[in-house]
Amino acid sequence: MLITSYNPTQLGDTLIAILRPDVAEQKIESHATVTRISDAKTGDTLGYNFFDVSKTLGTLDVNGQVHLTADQVEELNALLTANDFEAELVVDDTPKFVVGHVDTAEAHPKSDHLQITKTDVGTDQPLQIVSGSPNMQADILVVVAKVGAMMPDGLIIWPGELRGVESNGMIVSGRELQLPNAPQRPGALILPADYQPVGEPFDFKRAQTLFTA
């Protein structure tokens, strides 16, 4: 997995690359303009900070998540190698926000407000997603933030558990997607039944007019 972000106002000319979720015990190693953050127990790379990254990738006209091309990832891997790190970055261009269909929604055995859904996202197996949306039900079309998605507020979606039940992804609201005029209250964004085919990347541009003022 590779999630990258760039926030020049807050962090200067630094690209943040995230490969795995944070852990409590971390090891930090810096060579020149590259810093590696790893799991102190397993040695697995959690991420990298690339300082003065414009010298490698040129100007990044982005403030937030960066969707790197294969060529840009190759340039960063070359920079890692030049600084005695492993060239381990792999481009990830699979869509992370997709249209899903909630096939089933059942009450969570340890919660009075959570539901366990089986949600079709166009793959061989539906995703099991635990949802707290008050309007959750079976047979609705929704937007799914898959594992590896970065939400507009910077939250990253990782595999997890909610009260002991595995959850892989998040069924999101218009508010969480920061869509114009979206209701500022909890509740999944329920799309019209024929809005987009299941499994297609969610069309953010089209969604700008989903809610009227």
Side-chain angles (χ1 to χ4, degrees), residues 34-84:
V34 180
T35 293
R36 175 178 181 258
I37 304 97
S38 61
D39 185 327
K41 292 182 178 179
T42 67
D44 291 335
T45 301
L46 304 178
Y48 288 96
N49 294 340
F50 295 94
F51 302 99
D52 298 326
V53 71
S54 61
K55 294 180 180 178
T56 300
L57 299 183
T59 301
L60 295 174
D61 188 18
V62 178
N63 189 8
Q65 186 172 11
V66 180
H67 299 283
L68 297 175
T69 66
D71 287 343
Q72 288 174 318
V73 171
E74 186 176 337
E75 289 182 90
L76 291 177
N77 274 327
L79 183 60
L80 288 175
T81 301
N83 285 281
D84 299 321

Side-chain angles (χ1 to χ4, degrees), residues 62-142:
V62 178
N63 189 8
Q65 186 172 11
V66 180
H67 299 283
L68 297 175
T69 66
D71 287 343
Q72 288 174 318
V73 171
E74 186 176 337
E75 289 182 90
L76 291 177
N77 274 327
L79 183 60
L80 288 175
T81 301
N83 285 281
D84 299 321
F85 291 117
E86 180 184 351
E88 60 179 317
L89 304 184
V90 178
V91 67
D92 183 0
D93 57 4
T94 58
K96 295 298 186 291
F97 293 91
V98 301
V99 175
H101 180 269
V102 179
D103 293 338
T104 63
E106 300 178 353
H108 192 297
K110 297 181 180 179
S111 171
D112 60 2
H113 72 281
L114 296 176
Q115 295 191 65
I116 304 168
T117 77
K118 297 293 185 182
T119 300
D120 181 5
V121 291
T123 55
D124 291 340
Q125 295 293 327
L127 295 179
Q128 177 169 288
I129 300 174
V130 179
S131 173
S133 294
N135 60 343
M136 186 51 56
Q137 58 184 314
D139 198 28
I140 57 175
L141 205 65
V142 295

